[in-house]
């Protein structure tokens, strides 16, 4: 009790002003509740675990990508083999067959060219896809190469009428269309090399579920320009892994800072003897 003197001379008592706890004065807040700490701890653990898992996944993806690059490089530089016939069509897949070097002999179907919009090392233009009746008895689309808009207007890329042997890279069909642009067969607007849709548009019947990128021009004129296939696989997985692991470390550091701060506040709030 603190003693004060009233105006009439009578001494009265009143409770002394109780001081705030030392921790509240110094830190500006009271210790967090056990429930809050539990929730924050669980969220931190989940975040750290999730970010670490993403980092590990990127490391695994990098190993897969490097293996894919090595396999594709081996396929694309191997000696050409016969293009797969109908007996093998059901097993054709992107992972095992894309960019295999293959060869086929036959005759092009006259007047059945399909122009697919493209951007190549020569600029914007079109891929020229022409069906080829193979000597083995099946039909396969051949990407004979690239033509510019000017070359397209000149209409100087008619397919050879004589038998030809085509060597190139096996490519898996590209269904539906390009980025934000769907193929329009009725208007003959093509943005991807969709084998099934092109075959239906040209009334070709059954065709191979792949097409072949010719590795060189098939005519003396050099048109269409063959051999423009670009084999490139983005491999940024190291950057992504470092990012995820870095975020996990930052979150770990933040959680440790909060835990240390909480421990200091609770230590100062303990009654002194």
């Amino acid at each position: 009790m603190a003693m004060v003197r009233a105006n009439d001379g009578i001494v009265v008592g009143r409770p002394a002003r109780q001081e705030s706890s030392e921790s509240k004065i110094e830190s500006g807040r009271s210790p967090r509740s056990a429930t809050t700490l539990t929730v924050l701890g669980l969220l931190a653990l989940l975040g750290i675990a999730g970010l670490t898992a993403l980092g590990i996944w990127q490391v695994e993806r990098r190993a897969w990508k490097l293996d894919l690059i090595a396999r594709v490089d081996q396929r694309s530089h191997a000696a050409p083999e016969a293009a797969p016939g109908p007996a093998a069509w059901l097993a054709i897949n992107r992972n095992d067959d894309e960019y295999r070097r293959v060869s086929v002999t036959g005759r092009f179907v006259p007047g059945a060219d399909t122009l697919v919009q493209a951007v190549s090392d020569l600029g914007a233009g079109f891929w020229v896809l022409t069906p080829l009746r193979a000597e083995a008895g099946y039909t396969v689309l051949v990407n004979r190469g690239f033509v510019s808009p000017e070359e397209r207007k000149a209409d100087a890329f008619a397919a050879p009428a004589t038998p030809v042997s085509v060597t190139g890279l096996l490519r898996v069909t590209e269904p539906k269309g390009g980025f934000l642009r769907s193929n329009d067969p009725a208007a003959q607007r093509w943005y991807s090399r969709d084998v099934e849709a092109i075959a239906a548009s040209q009334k070709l019947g059954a065709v191979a579920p792949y097409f072949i990128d010719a590795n060189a021009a098939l005519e003396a004129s050099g048109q269409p320009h063959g051999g423009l296939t670009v084999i490139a696989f983005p491999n940024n997985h190291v950057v992504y892994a470092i990012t995820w692991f870095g975020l996990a470390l930052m979150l770990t550091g933040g959680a440790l800072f909060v835990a240390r701060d909480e421990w200091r506040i609770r230590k100062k709030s303990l009654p002194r003897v």
Side-chain angles (χ1 to χ4, degrees):
M1 298 287 289
M3 304 303 293
V4 297
R5 184 173 297 278
N7 292 334
D8 58 358
I10 301 174
V11 177
V12 297
R14 68 178 181 188
R17 183 180 179 184
Q18 295 182 352
E19 296 182 353
S20 301
S21 65
E22 184 179 352
S23 63
K24 197 166 186 179
I25 292 175
E26 295 186 4
S27 67
R29 70 171 181 82
S30 301
R32 295 181 177 89
S33 67
T35 300
T36 300
L37 290 175
T38 300
V39 172
L40 290 176
L42 288 175
L43 290 175
L45 287 174
L46 288 174
I48 293 168
L51 293 169
T52 302
L54 287 171
I56 294 173
W57 177 62
Q58 287 298 330
V59 172
E60 294 174 346
R61 287 281 296 175
R62 178 178 181 272
W64 170 82
K65 182 65 68 66
L66 291 176
D67 178 66
L68 174 64
I69 292 172
R71 285 188 285 114
V72 167
D73 183 68
Q74 181 181 17
R75 289 177 205 159
S76 62
H77 291 91
E81 56 190 68
W89 287 355
L90 290 178
I92 296 294
N93 65 84
R94 192 177 305 277
N95 191 52
D96 298 324
D97 299 291
E98 187 94 85
Y99 300 110
R100 283 168 54 189
R101 285 192 74 202
V102 296
S103 62
V104 62
T105 299
R107 289 177 178 268
F108 285 115
V109 177
D113 298 320
T114 298
L115 301 182
V116 181
Q117 290 192 22
V119 176
S120 74
D121 291 340
L122 301 179
F126 305 89
W127 297 123
V128 181
L129 270 70
T130 307
L132 180 140
R133 304 288 188 189
E135 291 180 347
Y138 62 88
T139 302
V140 60
L141 286 179
V142 174
N143 178 12
R144 294 164 50 217
F146 176 86
V147 292
S148 67
E150 293 74 22
E151 291 168 337
R152 178 194 182 187
K153 290 178 182 178
D155 199 22
F157 52 87
T162 56
V164 294
S165 292
V166 178
T167 298
L169 300 177
L170 184 152
R171 304 293 306 281
V172 177
T173 182
E174 302 167 346
K176 298 184 180 180
F179 180 67
L180 298 179
R181 296 185 296 181
S182 298
N183 292 325
D184 186 357
Q188 285 298 296
R189 293 193 182 94
W190 300 94
Y191 304 101
S192 73
R193 292 163 289 191
D194 186 336
V195 170
E196 184 177 357
I198 291 173
S201 175
Q202 297 287 0
K203 298 180 173 56
L204 299 176
V207 300
Y210 59 86
F211 60 94
I212 298 174
D213 273 348
N215 62 6
L218 300 175
E219 302 170 63
S221 65
Q223 297 177 5
H225 307 277
L228 296 179
T229 305
V230 176
I231 302 177
F233 298 94
N235 187 11
N236 300 316
H237 300 293
V238 171
V239 175
Y240 296 148
I242 291 174
T243 299
W244 293 126
F245 287 137
L247 290 173
L249 286 174
M250 290 174 62
L251 183 55
T252 301
L256 291 175
F257 176 82
V258 171
R260 178 174 174 270
D261 185 59
E262 190 68 27
W263 177 80
R264 291 178 60 185
I265 291 174
R266 289 178 177 274
K267 182 179 178 182
K268 289 179 181 179
S269 66
L270 293 175
R272 297 183 179 178
V273 180

